[in-house]
Structure formats: structure tokens, C-alpha cells
Amino acid sequence: MAYSSSSLPPLCEKISYKNYFLRAVDLTILGLLFSLLLYRILLMNQNNTVWVVAFLCESFFSFIWLLITCIKWSPAAYKSYPERLDERVHDLPSVDMFVTTADPVREPPILVANTLLSLLALNYPANKLACYVSDDGCSPLTYFSLKEASKFAKIWVPFCKKYNVKVRAPFRYFLNPPVPTESSEFSKDWEMTKREYEKLSRKVEDATGDSHWLDAEDDFEAFSNTKPNDHSTIVKVVWENKGGVGEENEVPHFVYISREKRPNYLHHYKAGAMNFLVRVSGLMTNAPYMLNVDCDMYANEADVVRQAMCIFLQKSVNSKHCAFVQYPQDFYDSNADELTVLQSYLGQGIAGIQGPIYAGSGCFHTRRVMYGLSIDDLEEDGSLSSVAARKYLAEENLEREFGNSKEMVKSVVEALQRKPNPQNTLANSLEAAQEVGHCHYEYQTIWGKTIGWLYESTAEDANTSIGIHSRGWTSSYISPEPPAFLGAMPPGGPEAMLQQRRWATGLLEVLFNKQSPLIGMFCRKIRFRQTLAYLYIFTWGLRSIPELFYCLLPAYCLLHNSALFPKGVYLGIIVTLVGMHCLYTLWEFMSLGFSVQSWFVSQSFWRIKTTCSWLFSIPDIILKLLGISKTVFIVTKKTMPKTMSGSGSGKSQREDDCPNKDSGKFEFDGSLYFLPGTFIVLVNLAAIAGFSVGLHRLSHRHGGGSSGLAEACGSILVVMLFLPFLKGMFGKGKYGIPLSTISKAAFLAVLFVVFAL
């Protein structure tokens, strides 16, 4: 890559956000929390066990707020200028793009096809891009859909680039008709392209219910007699870009892969699939940069690759330190407001320390870093140091660490030395690609241990992220407008609970493995505040216990006639705390354009997922640590949304213009996820009823004060936060809590009431 004069404006700049007022608010809330803890300590001898439990819960909450204050202290983000890239860089680097899917039922192939099409149509030279789709379900339907999508791409890609289409996922773009003022040529091309996409959709839909096409083509012979967990490696070059000059009508390389799976082998879920993608792409195109995208997160910004390259190629940023560029996960539905706010404030806060945490999707990685390089292995110009060269480039070392494939070792050496990619025919690498996909290939290597995506956790993204930062690397955060990638969150209900449990369990796995920030705080190259950021993320699952207790304490105190909150003037600490926190979080939501209702729904869902979903991560991790069972990665069900506003404009292209009448409703089933929430509601309702009839006066006090209006208000607040469960007790169908769950919760609630009285 050649750079022009340094007098030209920079490709990117780091923007630091310092808001002293917000710092003051954070510190004030922290001071109030410590004041409450001090008050409880001073009066500990005068109160009963409830006081001690409340003190322990509030201590944990204070610790969490201390972490949040440290994280948010110096937020930052990068602003890139992709329009300057061609002036500065005469030979753009290659990028390998990875898409992972695992289940054609839970992840509809047409959704995967749209993600693929959005990536193939990006504003970047087609000869510099290659897209690899990993199908861990080894589904002939998925392969058929992607093969048909590659045919449509020859129409879609030139259309997007000719007319500078903003939204490059067809299922979103064709929701709106063309503007009447457009030219007749555009209208004609638009109609033709839409017809072709509808043909593609019909083909995929028809193929879902009829598998006759499996026998129609020899191309599907590899899928005969295969099972999702028992099949050989499949690598197919669906489309190869032989033009090689990057013209607008060219389509990038597209390769379909499915690694070998056997029932008796551990496959490491998504992390194993990602490492296979790294190996196959290393053999075929060996691009120095890699983009990782979930199958339901389509590229919404055509210049996303150029934006990331601005970070990697900007000399003044000290580019050798940047290991990856992370984009926030944005969504086009209304189920992810809370996550959007969390990323906006905490995400930018972490970005101002050592860099954002890898979030599993929408992230550009450097191949050399994924091969295990430490920051100390490089010279100032980014080349390998003499010590690192002897360490990494010795052939016997490489074969021991990366596997015994000669072609793989050669590609690793080329990547580490930053040699340009040889323009070989992809088909020439098929045999080697098959070899590195065998189940036993990683045996006695360090794949998943120190190179590639790291194993030992279902949260492979966070596990890999802390491994990278622990080696001294930094990362960068870009939050462009419009959002770079858009996806859909599962609706509130079983799928959301399943996803949250998997996240919490995976993060706890990292907390207790060798990548734990508790271990690396003093003996690795990770910065102290970055360690605190990881600690905040990894302890999500542990928060379920104090949250659950604190939701039950007001009810217990009402029934037991004991005090939970301070009396008199000291009650102002609690009132001020609750008021400031509500106003603070409400401001965070409204400053990003969300409504008061969105804020309340998000606060409610936070309590629900913490006490109902994250709670189950505790037994999961205990059973794993005891060696009784292992954690399981269950794919979250994705759906093709039916109601979306699909213009290329708007803040996040959400469904505000065309809301679903069922949007915001909470769905239930008979799983145990909904037992804790139903139990909490019933207990607090019983306590409120008992308080209203004076039942608490019949209980005897055992030291300390008696319950009163403050505890009653606490129970009412809990019921309000669990309002979806209250509605679910009277709802019908999927919006109603099953009678079996209500019965179990009622039995536990009766036991709780008897115990409290």
C-alpha cells in the first residue's frame, strides 16, 4: 500500500466526549449508594437479618455502579472519512468476509441470502473482496438458497452500484416503491430487479417444502446421507471473480463451506466454525483483514469496509496497535432499544480506554493478530521483530501450532510477513481446504487456545476479545450514521430468554477460565480500567441473585412487619437514589430519540431478564465447574420481519412508521424461565393485599422498625416492573402464562408467605 503526502487531511480522527455534568451525576449516585451502605452498617445491630441481606445486595449494586462510573469516565469514538481513502491509498487491501449459520429452520436461508447479497454489493473493489459462508448445519437447502442468491447477485450488485442504492439488502430495499421523480431507466431496472428477487424468494420458499431439486443436480451429491452433526467437509466455490480489476459489474468471490462433524468430536460451536473460516480463507485469498457478520445482520452502509480501512491505514493512529474495528449492533425493530442505549454510553466509554469489546458481529479483524501476535512482536513500522520472526516463522513451530498442512503454514507465513496475496485460482486450494476442515485437524495444535477464536466459552466473542486486549492490542469503535449493520432482535419471550441465558452463561465461563480479568489484572498487558470493563460484562449472570432478593425483600418485610428502608430523613437517600437513577436513565433514552414508553419497557425487561434468564446461568456454570455437565450453544430463532419501514433514511430505520400491532407484547411458554417472574409478582401482590388489610400488624417485630408505606411502594414498583407477567396471568395463547407455571409459582408463593409470617 502506498500513501501520498502526509499534508493531506487524515483518514480518521478520534473524538473524545467529556461531559463533566454526567461525571458529577455518576459520582453523586455513587456517593448516595455509599451513604446508604454506611447507614446500614451503623444500624446493623439494631435490625434483623433482612437488614443484612439488603446490605449485601446494595453492596453489589454499589460495586456495579462503581464499575459503570469508571467505564463511562472518558468516552470516545472514531470518525472516518472514506471519501479521502482513494487519495491516500493507491492499492486497497483485501478483505475476507465471514457469515455463519447453523440451522436452516431457526435461521431462514432467505435471511442468510440477504446478508450475503448486502456484503457482495459493498462499495469496495470486487477483486478485493471474498465472502465465505459457513453452514454448520450442512443444509442442502441453505446451499441451494445461497447458490441461487449468487446468480441474483450478478443483477443486484451492478444495480446497487449503478444507482448508488443506500440499502443493499433486497428484502429491506424493495419494501418501498421508487420515488416518482426517478428516471424511466431507473424505474425499468428497479421493476426488473424486483421481479428477479421475487423469483429468488419463490424458489427458496418452494425448495423449503419440496426437495426434488436435490436429485436434479450433481452439485448436491455431497449432501446425500448427511446429518447436521455427522458429515464430511464440504467446500464449494460458488462464484469466482475472474475479472480481477474491480469494475462495478463484477461480483466478489463467494465460497460455501461446512466443516466436518462427527458425533464423538467436540466442535466448539461458532468459535470452531470461525476458525475453519480463517483457515479456508487463508488458503484461498489470505486477506490481511477479515469481517465477521452474523447471518441476520445485513450491511446497511455501503462504505462500511472503507470506513474500517480508514482506521487501519491511518498512520497517525499508530495503526499497528489496532487489532480490530467494532461497529455497534443496531437493529431495525423495536425490541433492542435497551441494547442500543447500552452501546451508546457504555460502549463509547469502553472505547475510550483500550478499545471496544468484540461483540460477535460487525467487526473487522486483522489476520495477523488472530494468528496470536502480541504487540511486543512488532517493530514501529508494523513488521515482525527479529525475535518474533525466529519464534513464529520456524516451520516446525508453525506446523505444531497451526496444523500439519504445508499450504496452511505457507499462508500463515505470508500473512505474518504482510506479503501480497497471490492471485491463484480458488479451485486450486479445494483439496487443502478440505484437509483443514477435518475434525482431527486441530488436535494437538493451539487453535482456539491462543490463535483464532478462543474456545472454553459459548461467548466466544468476549473470550477472544479479552485475549486480544491482554496481549497489549487496542481496538477502535465506529458508530456511523446510518448504522453500518442492522438486524432483528428476538421478541420478548422464550427466544429472548434463551439468548440472554446463553450470553450470561458464556460470560460467566470466561470469568472462571484462564482469560478471566481477575487473573489478568496484574500479569498481562491489559489496562486496569479495561479489566474493570470486562469485569462488569462478565458478572452479568451473578447480578441475578441480588436482583432476585431485592425484588422479594419489600414483600417479605410487609408480611413480616420489618423495616427494609431507613425511616425519617434518611429515607431521602433511597428516594433521591431512585429518582436520580430514573431521571438519568430516562435522559439517556430520550437523548437518543426514544420515548418514555420505550424507557419503561427497557427498565422492565432488564429486571425480567436478570431475574428470569440470567438466574439460570448460575446453575449452568456451577454444573460445568463441577464437571457434571457442559454448557450447550443453542441457536436463537431468527425470523423475516413482515412489517418494516425500509427507506434508506432515518436514524436507525426502525419500524416507527409501520408498527406491528403485537410489538412490545411479551410471549410466554411452559419453560422454567417464566417461573421466577410469576413467583415475584404473586408474592408482591400478596404482600400488597396483606398490607392493605392490615395483616402486617399481626406479625411480631424482631428488633428494628416495622414495615410501612415505603415498603409498600417498593412492592408496587416491583409489580409495575414485572407488568408483562401481571398481564400474562390474564392473557391468552402465546401472550398468556401457562396454567402449569402459574400453579407452580402460586405454590412457591404460599410457602414464601407462610415463611414470612
Side-chain angles (χ1 to χ4, degrees):
M1 281 158 278
Y3 297 85
S4 57
S5 173
S6 59
S7 62
L8 291 173
L11 295 175
C12 67
E13 58 180 336
K14 185 176 182 179
I15 302 174
S16 298
Y17 306 95
K18 291 184 179 180
N19 192 318
Y20 295 101
F21 176 75
L22 294 184
R23 288 182 179 181
V25 174
D26 289 332
L27 292 175
T28 301
I29 293 176
L30 189 62
L32 289 171
L33 285 167
F34 287 153
S35 299
L36 178 60
L37 294 180
L38 179 60
Y39 179 83
R40 291 205 183 275
I41 292 173
L42 294 176
L43 298 183
M44 192 71 71
N45 294 332
Q46 303 177 25
N47 291 274
N48 56 17
T49 308
V50 171
W51 205 259
V52 178
V53 175
F55 171 77
L56 294 175
C57 293
E58 289 159 359
S59 297
F60 190 88
F61 299 151
S62 301
F63 173 69
I64 293 297
W65 192 260
L66 175 62
L67 295 181
I68 291 174
T69 302
C70 291
I71 293 170
K72 293 168 63 176
W73 196 255
S74 54
Y78 279 91
K79 180 176 178 58
S80 60
Y81 301 97
E83 67 277 4
R84 302 172 182 173
L85 193 61
D86 291 332
E87 299 176 357
R88 297 289 302 274
V89 183
H90 305 315
D91 184 20
L92 292 171
S94 300
V95 178
D96 290 335
M97 304 179 292
F98 302 154
V99 180
T100 53
T101 184
D103 189 330
V105 176
R106 301 183 71 83
E107 297 173 332
I110 190 63
L111 191 64
V112 185
N114 270 274
T115 300
L116 167 71
L117 289 166
S118 71
L119 294 174
L120 294 178
L122 292 175
N123 281 343
Y124 204 74
N127 61 322
K128 298 290 186 177
L129 294 177
C131 191
Y132 297 82
V133 176
S134 168
D135 177 19
D136 247 16
C138 192
S139 166
L141 175 60
T142 299
Y143 176 65
F144 172 82
S145 304
L146 295 175
K147 187 177 179 183
E148 293 299 318
S150 71
K151 298 175 183 177
F152 173 67
K154 298 166 191 174
I155 300 173
W156 176 245
V157 172
F159 173 78
C160 289
K161 294 186 176 180
K162 179 179 180 180
Y163 296 107
N164 194 26
V165 171
K166 299 299 181 185
V167 179
R168 303 204 172 182
F171 83 114
R172 291 277 287 166
Y173 175 72
F174 288 118
L175 287 171
N176 290 340
V179 180
T181 57
E182 296 286 358
S183 66
S184 59
E185 181 185 6
F186 170 80
S187 299
K188 181 180 178 181
D189 288 347
W190 189 92
E191 291 289 347
M192 183 273 293
T193 308
K194 184 180 181 183
R195 283 196 304 270
E196 292 299 321
Y197 176 68
E198 289 172 346
K199 287 181 183 178
L200 167 64
S201 299
R202 283 196 300 271
K203 282 184 179 180
V204 174
E205 185 177 353
D206 294 343
T208 303
D210 186 1
S211 60
H212 71 277
W213 43 268
L214 273 173
D215 303 321
E217 297 185 49
D218 295 337
D219 199 22
F220 292 91
E221 183 179 355
F223 295 94
S224 60
N225 300 319
T226 61
K227 297 178 181 178
N229 64 339
D230 190 4
H231 60 84
S232 300
T233 303
I234 300 175
V235 181
K236 290 183 175 291
V237 179
V238 182
W239 173 256
E240 183 171 1
N241 177 357
K242 295 182 179 179
V245 294
E247 294 181 352
E248 289 191 351
N249 61 346
E250 291 183 20
V251 177
H253 298 309
F254 168 41
V255 181
Y256 170 94
I257 69 173
S258 184
R259 59 188 170 132
E260 181 183 21
K261 279 190 172 182
R262 301 301 176 194
N264 297 327
Y265 281 84
L266 184 62
H267 303 294
H268 302 291
Y269 309 112
K270 183 180 176 181
M274 293 302 301
N275 284 337
F276 181 43
L277 281 164
V278 173
R279 294 196 293 271
V280 172
S281 64
L283 292 168
M284 290 187 167
T285 48
N286 208 22
Y289 301 103
M290 305 174 290
L291 168 62
N292 159 221
V293 180
D294 282 347
C295 66
D296 60 332
M297 296 287 292
Y298 70 87
N300 184 62
E301 168 55 66
D303 285 328
V304 63
V305 180
R306 290 178 175 270
Q307 291 175 349
M309 291 305 110
C310 288
I311 304 293
F312 287 125
L313 303 179
Q314 175 61 45
K315 288 293 187 180
S316 63
V317 180
N318 200 357
S319 58
K320 78 162 191 172
H321 283 191
C322 183
F324 61 86
V325 175
Q326 176 68 60
Y327 289 83
Q329 293 194 19
D330 282 282
F331 305 88
Y332 49 70
D333 60 7
S334 58
N335 300 314
D337 298 350
E338 175 200 354
L339 184 58
T340 302
V341 174
L342 188 71
Q343 289 181 124
S344 178
Y345 292 101
L346 287 179
Q348 289 187 358
I350 300 173
I353 308 173
Q354 195 172 343
I357 296 173
Y358 167 41
S361 181
C363 187
F364 286 83
H365 294 273
T366 50
R367 186 179 292 271
R368 296 202 302 168
V369 173
M370 298 306 289
Y371 283 165
L373 285 184
S374 171
I375 194 67
D376 294 336
D377 296 325
L378 301 182
E379 302 287 357
E380 285 300 319
D381 62 355
S383 61
L384 285 178
S385 65
S386 57
V387 176
R390 290 194 298 270
K391 173 185 175 183
Y392 285 102
L393 301 184
E395 185 174 344
E396 60 275 12
N397 291 342
L398 290 173
E399 288 189 5
R400 183 172 61 252
E401 296 176 352
F402 289 86
N404 56 6
S405 166
K406 298 289 186 182
E407 292 81 1
M408 186 69 222
V409 168
K410 180 181 177 182
S411 75
V412 170
V413 171
E414 291 173 346
L416 293 176
Q417 293 181 330
R418 298 190 299 182
K419 291 184 178 179
N421 304 329
Q423 299 298 321
N424 294 329
T425 303
L426 298 187
N428 295 340
S429 304
L430 285 176
E431 184 177 347
Q434 295 272 354
E435 179 186 354
V436 299
H438 291 323
C439 289
H440 55 76
Y441 181 80
E442 292 183 355
Y443 182 65
Q444 290 186 338
T445 69
I446 58 174
W447 282 102
K449 298 174 184 176
T450 57
I451 62 173
W453 271 252
L454 302 186
Y455 302 151
E456 298 185 5
S457 171
T458 53
E460 79 294 327
D461 48 1
N463 197 22
T464 303
S465 180
I466 192 171
I468 292 172
H469 284 134
S470 295
R471 299 200 303 270
W473 294 101
T474 62
S475 52
S476 299
Y477 183 82
I478 308 181
S479 183
E481 193 59 48
F485 300 94
L486 284 178
M489 287 286 281
E495 291 299 326
M497 294 294 103
L498 175 65
Q499 184 185 65
Q500 292 291 333
R501 177 182 179 177
R502 190 186 74 213
W503 288 354
T505 302
L507 294 172
L508 281 178
E509 286 180 306
V510 185
L511 183 66
F512 293 105
N513 71 14
K514 63 182 180 181
Q515 298 293 339
S516 173
L518 299 176
I519 299 175
M521 189 176 296
F522 305 105
C523 59
R524 295 176 186 159
K525 296 181 179 65
I526 189 170
R527 300 176 190 174
F528 179 72
R529 285 177 58 213
Q530 188 79 7
T531 300
L532 297 182
Y534 278 110
L535 196 59
Y536 167 79
I537 300 293
F538 293 159
T539 54
W540 275 3
L542 298 181
R543 296 178 64 173
S544 59
I545 297 176
E547 291 262 5
L548 177 63
F549 273 94
Y550 219 74
C551 287
L552 296 174
L553 280 176
Y556 178 85
C557 290
L558 284 177
L559 295 168
H560 190 256
N561 194 23
S562 57
L564 172 61
F565 303 117
K567 303 297 182 182
V569 67
Y570 293 102
L571 182 60
I573 298 177
I574 294 291
V575 175
T576 306
L577 259 175
V578 174
M580 285 190 67
H581 185 268
C582 288
L583 291 174
Y584 189 15
T585 53
L586 177 60
W587 173 83
E588 288 181 331
F589 272 76
M590 297 189 71
S591 65
L592 293 178
F594 297 112
S595 64
V596 176
Q597 180 185 5
S598 172
W599 165 76
F600 179 77
V601 170
S602 296
Q603 296 301 307
S604 174
F605 185 61
W606 183 273
R607 303 284 88 73
I608 291 171
K609 73 181 181 183
T610 305
T611 55
C612 300
S613 182
W614 293 359
L615 182 65
F616 288 91
S617 67
I618 304 294
D620 285 345
I621 197 66
I622 290 175
L623 292 175
K624 178 182 178 179
L625 292 175
L626 294 176
I628 298 175
S629 67
K630 296 181 179 179
T631 53
V632 178
F633 187 102
I634 302 176
V635 177
T636 307
K637 186 176 182 180
K638 283 87 174 177
T639 56
M640 287 287 287
K642 297 179 181 179
T643 56
M644 297 172 293
S645 61
S647 69
S649 60
K651 180 179 184 301
S652 296
Q653 301 172 15
R654 294 183 176 87
E655 298 179 275
D656 300 333
D657 300 330
C658 185
N660 188 340
K661 63 183 178 65
D662 294 329
S663 179
K665 289 187 177 181
F666 208 87
E667 300 176 7
F668 299 92
D669 64 6
S671 65
L672 289 176
Y673 294 129
F674 306 107
L675 181 60
T678 309
F679 167 66
I680 289 172
V681 170
L682 290 176
V683 164
N684 279 279
L685 287 176
I688 294 169
F691 178 80
S692 63
V693 299
L695 182 63
H696 68 295
R697 298 188 183 92
L698 302 178
S699 300
H700 299 288
R701 290 189 288 115
H702 301 279
S706 59
S707 60
L709 186 60
E711 286 73 20
C713 289
S715 281
I716 293 173
L717 179 59
V718 171
V719 173
M720 289 176 61
L721 289 171
F722 284 82
L723 191 60
F725 281 81
L726 185 60
K727 292 180 178 179
M729 293 170 65
F730 303 98
K732 295 181 180 180
K734 64 180 181 180
Y735 300 117
I737 302 175
L739 183 60
S740 59
T741 302
I742 296 177
S743 301
K744 295 173 186 174
F747 174 73
L748 294 175
V750 170
L751 293 180
F752 184 91
V753 171
V754 171
F755 172 75
L757 290 174

